[in-house]
Amino acid sequence: MSYKVTWADQRINKNEKAKLKEDGLDVFKDLPELVKHPFSEIDKSYYMYFKFAGLTVQKPQDKGYFMMRIKIPGGRINLKQADHIAWIAKTYGRGIVDLTTRQAVQYHWIPFEKLPDIFDGIASVGLTTAGAEGDITRNVVDNPLSGIDANELFDTRQTVLDVYKRFQGNRDYSNLPRKFKISINSNIYNAGNAEINDLAFTPAIKEINGQSVQGFNVKIGGGLGMLPYLGLAMNIFVTPGQVADVAEAVVALYRDNGPRRSRSKSRLKFLIQDWGVQKFENALREKVPGLQTAGDSKIVGWSNGTALGIHPQRQKGYYYIGVSIPAGRISGDDFQAFVDLAKRYGKDELRFDHGQNLIIPYIAEKDLETVKSADIFNRFSTTPHQLLDFGTTCTGAEYCNLANAHTKEIFKPLLNNLDQRFTFEKPVTITLTGCGNNCAHRSIADIGIEGVKARTQTGDHAEGYVLSVGGSLLNGGHFTEALKGKLSKDQLADALAVILKDYQDQKKLEETFYDYFSRQGRFHFQELVDQYLSQLQEALK
């Protein structure tokens, strides 16, 4: 550790006090001794350290099982790594792989006593769980099509790896006030979802000494959670070669100045709200002198970070296949089937997008029809057109200790129900989260569903859901606006159908849901929900 702790004498929360005594990454040093004892002997105060190893104690918390997340910078893996990901699912994860909204994978039912062996296996294929959770830099996300994308300014793959390597295992940055998320992307449709990251590099061009230079503008202080904030632009332009230095300086400023008193208000977004962008930029320029002012942004739209369907690559004669994985959940056997397809017809690579989907790149044009006829595509779509193809969901109450309601188990039947009723020319995104923490990006969906605590007509505790509408990252972003009224699981499909039918019947030609929301306003949708709930009450009389 080469930095000086400046917050030891401040009012800090109990996690911060613990981290002053032992670094989060020491969990890997502790594990060989810990697993010699029953899990029940581990004090719950230690649970936060497991997070630095990509582990969350799964409920029920006394059974010694974990949710485990693997870091995959930029969402790209080779096929040896892909084989191992499938093997972990089948050996330890009860046959299931969950794809995440940060281009990574996670599992449930990972047994405590097997962790050293599991970590050794993950390391043997060049992957890691270190920093996949915890108060540290998380998985660095990228354009899911970087290097093969006709709509990117330049290839960002090496830049992502440079940033990943700068922080990975670096104890100078393993004690942050909270998690820190970085997005790097040169796709003109904001495929890195810039505005919901702590630090984001977005495509731009700058005239420097009479030459047109490709690089990035920079946004700071975005994030979702209970109190979402959109990232704000700094007046800074950086070249790809400067990105790692700027990222390190930003993280250092956050480490040394970020709030550590309340964990609910410790993300970088709260420091930015306190300081203002200009003060933070001034401090950054002191650390990295000579930075250029912002260039000409090349963002022209928003793709939501998804890459679905079959499309030509920038490499002539090759295609990528973006496969819809409903609710982001796939069996280890089905995952292996995609790996085997890539082995036979692709190159040494699989990818993940931001919408919990899988991508097989480098399918030669001559093999395309053969690949499309593979048995696995009888169960997974290569022609995304349904609501289910564009939806995302968090883990929910099945495993998560924070969730108020179930998600993945109800999401696929729910959207299948709606897909039988509606067809839209423009994608409509529906997300389902089990609580207000926004893990499935509810705040930037067309329609967000959040699990809440509720009661039945007889007063018993029950799982409930509330709706919000109008999320987007177009033109700097707009978060969904909440609608009043709690719904039961059984009421969700019909309540959503009321909104979708109104959009279907009243929209203009080529009008997206977000455009329709912008034209109608929140009150219009509140009236629709109110009418639906009123009709339910009348029916009960």
Side-chain angles (χ1 to χ4, degrees):
M1 188 176 80
S2 62
Y3 68 95
K4 181 180 179 181
V5 172
T6 59
W7 54 90
D9 297 329
Q10 299 175 13
R11 292 185 64 183
I12 55 178
N13 62 64
K14 63 180 182 180
N15 287 39
E16 294 301 329
K17 292 176 182 177
K19 289 189 292 179
L20 290 172
K21 299 174 184 177
E22 183 177 19
D23 188 86
L25 291 178
D26 284 341
V27 63
F28 291 100
K29 172 178 65 67
D30 296 342
L31 262 179
E33 182 61 30
L34 288 174
V35 297
K36 292 178 182 178
H37 305 276
F39 181 76
S40 59
E41 294 182 7
I42 296 177
D43 191 276
K44 286 189 176 182
S45 64
Y46 192 86
Y47 285 8
M48 75 154 188
Y49 286 100
F50 287 123
K51 288 183 175 292
F52 288 82
L55 302 167
T56 293
V57 180
Q58 179 181 305
K59 76 173 193 181
Q61 289 191 319
D62 60 344
K63 301 302 182 184
Y65 289 102
F66 291 86
M67 186 277 282
M68 181 182 76
R69 186 175 294 152
I70 297 178
K71 250 184 173 177
I72 302 175
R76 293 176 292 275
I77 53 174
N78 62 44
L79 297 185
K80 182 178 180 181
Q81 294 168 337
D83 276 333
H84 196 73
I85 284 171
W87 180 84
I88 292 174
K90 290 183 280 187
T91 307
Y92 297 110
R94 300 195 178 180
I96 297 295
V97 183
D98 280 346
L99 310 186
T100 79
T101 55
R102 289 197 71 79
Q103 301 181 279
V105 300
Q106 62 189 37
Y107 306 88
H108 299 282
W109 301 109
I110 299 299
F112 169 64
E113 66 276 8
K114 296 293 185 180
L115 285 174
D117 292 339
I118 292 170
F119 287 155
D120 285 345
I122 290 170
S124 73
V125 296
L127 293 173
T128 184
T129 65
E133 295 189 71
D135 302 339
I136 198 166
T137 53
R138 298 292 186 86
N139 197 45
V140 182
V141 298
D142 190 5
N143 169 15
L145 302 175
S146 56
I148 64 173
D149 187 0
N151 292 314
E152 65 181 353
L153 266 63
F154 49 88
D155 188 347
T156 48
R157 287 176 292 182
Q158 187 58 52
T159 306
V160 167
L161 289 177
D162 290 344
V163 172
Y164 168 79
K165 291 173 183 177
R166 183 69 61 96
F167 294 107
Q168 193 61 27
N170 187 339
R171 288 173 179 260
D172 282 349
Y173 306 105
S174 57
N175 184 1
L176 303 180
R178 282 287 268 117
K179 58 191 172 185
F180 192 94
K181 298 181 176 180
I182 300 173
S183 167
I184 300 167
N185 162 63
S186 79
N187 171 277
I188 62 176
Y189 295 102
N190 192 12
N193 291 339
E195 290 81 6
I196 60 171
N197 286 269
D198 295 275
L199 173 64
F201 297 89
T202 63
I205 293 178
K206 175 79 173 178
E207 291 292 328
I208 302 175
N209 298 324
Q211 292 188 327
S212 181
V213 178
Q214 294 181 333
F216 303 96
N217 286 340
V218 184
K219 289 194 171 185
I220 195 83
L224 295 178
M226 293 285 189
L227 290 171
Y229 285 91
L230 292 163
L232 302 172
M234 292 194 289
N235 189 21
I236 286 177
F237 173 86
V238 298
T239 63
Q242 294 174 306
V243 168
D245 290 341
V246 168
E248 183 174 12
V250 169
V251 174
L253 285 168
Y254 173 52
R255 176 197 65 201
D256 297 340
N257 300 282
R260 294 177 182 258
R261 182 175 175 181
S262 167
R263 285 189 62 78
S264 64
K265 294 186 177 180
S266 292
R267 291 285 297 275
L268 178 65
K269 59 191 178 185
F270 296 106
L271 178 63
I272 298 302
Q273 296 299 313
D274 181 29
W275 278 18
V277 173
Q278 190 59 59
K279 179 178 177 180
F280 194 92
E281 181 182 323
N282 292 342
L284 175 59
R285 287 184 177 277
E286 288 182 13
K287 283 185 169 290
V288 188
L291 292 173
Q292 296 282 335
T293 56
D296 177 23
S297 173
K298 293 302 174 183
I299 296 289
V300 299
W302 179 49
S303 68
N304 203 12
T306 57
L308 293 170
I310 301 175
H311 304 278
Q313 297 180 188
R314 68 188 308 169
Q315 293 82 9
K316 187 176 180 180
Y318 288 97
Y319 289 74
Y320 72 85
I321 300 178
V323 185
S324 171
I325 308 296
R329 178 161 287 180
I330 183 171
S331 73
D333 288 334
D334 285 342
F335 188 90
Q336 186 66 59
F338 286 120
V339 177
D340 293 341
L341 266 184
K343 286 178 181 177
R344 185 168 182 182
Y345 297 104
K347 291 192 176 180
D348 188 21
E349 185 177 36
L350 281 182
R351 301 186 180 206
F352 307 107
D353 72 3
H354 298 253
Q356 301 176 321
N357 303 303
L358 179 149
I359 303 165
I360 310 175
Y362 287 101
I363 302 297
E365 186 172 9
K366 64 181 178 63
D367 295 324
L368 201 52
E369 291 304 316
T370 302
V371 173
K372 286 163 60 178
S373 67
D375 288 343
I376 190 66
F377 289 119
N378 292 324
R379 298 190 296 282
F380 295 88
S381 173
T382 62
T383 55
H385 62 283
Q386 297 183 312
L387 296 167
L388 184 61
D389 294 324
F390 297 95
T392 57
T393 179
C394 72
T395 298
E398 182 181 12
Y399 302 119
C400 179
N401 300 295
L402 300 176
N404 299 313
H406 284 74
T407 57
K408 288 192 182 290
E409 311 95 305
I410 73 167
F411 192 66
K412 189 173 179 179
L414 172 64
L415 267 64
N416 278 336
N417 179 316
L418 295 169
D419 275 322
Q420 291 172 9
R421 306 194 210 183
F422 301 99
T423 300
F424 299 104
E425 300 81 16
K426 299 285 187 179
V428 177
T429 59
I430 300 176
T431 69
L432 174 56
T433 61
C435 72
N437 278 308
N438 240 322
C439 294
H441 296 178
R442 169 185 51 79
S443 288
I444 60 171
D446 288 318
I447 304 174
I449 310 168
E450 176 187 337
V452 294
K453 295 178 180 179
R455 289 186 181 273
T456 65
Q457 291 280 340
T458 57
D460 296 326
H461 290 286
E463 295 183 359
Y465 300 88
V466 294
L467 305 180
S468 57
V469 290
S472 176
L473 290 185
L474 285 169
N475 303 317
H478 178 270
F479 289 140
T480 52
E481 297 184 25
L483 303 178
K484 297 177 182 178
K486 291 183 180 180
L487 302 161
S488 71
K489 177 188 71 172
D490 295 334
Q491 293 165 348
L492 269 178
D494 286 342
L496 290 167
V498 169
I499 293 174
L500 293 170
K501 187 175 190 311
D502 176 78
Y503 167 59
Q504 184 183 65
D505 293 346
Q506 304 297 329
K507 69 180 179 63
K508 298 178 180 178
L509 185 66
E510 297 295 306
E511 188 173 34
T512 66
F513 187 92
Y514 178 65
D515 289 337
Y516 183 66
F517 163 82
S518 300
R519 177 162 65 87
Q520 297 284 26
R522 183 192 68 83
F523 185 70
H524 172 79
F525 294 93
Q526 184 65 65
E527 284 188 320
L528 294 174
V529 173
D530 289 345
Q531 290 169 11
Y532 169 73
L533 291 173
S534 177
Q535 290 169 1
L536 281 180
Q537 290 297 319
E538 286 296 319
L540 291 172
K541 290 181 180 180

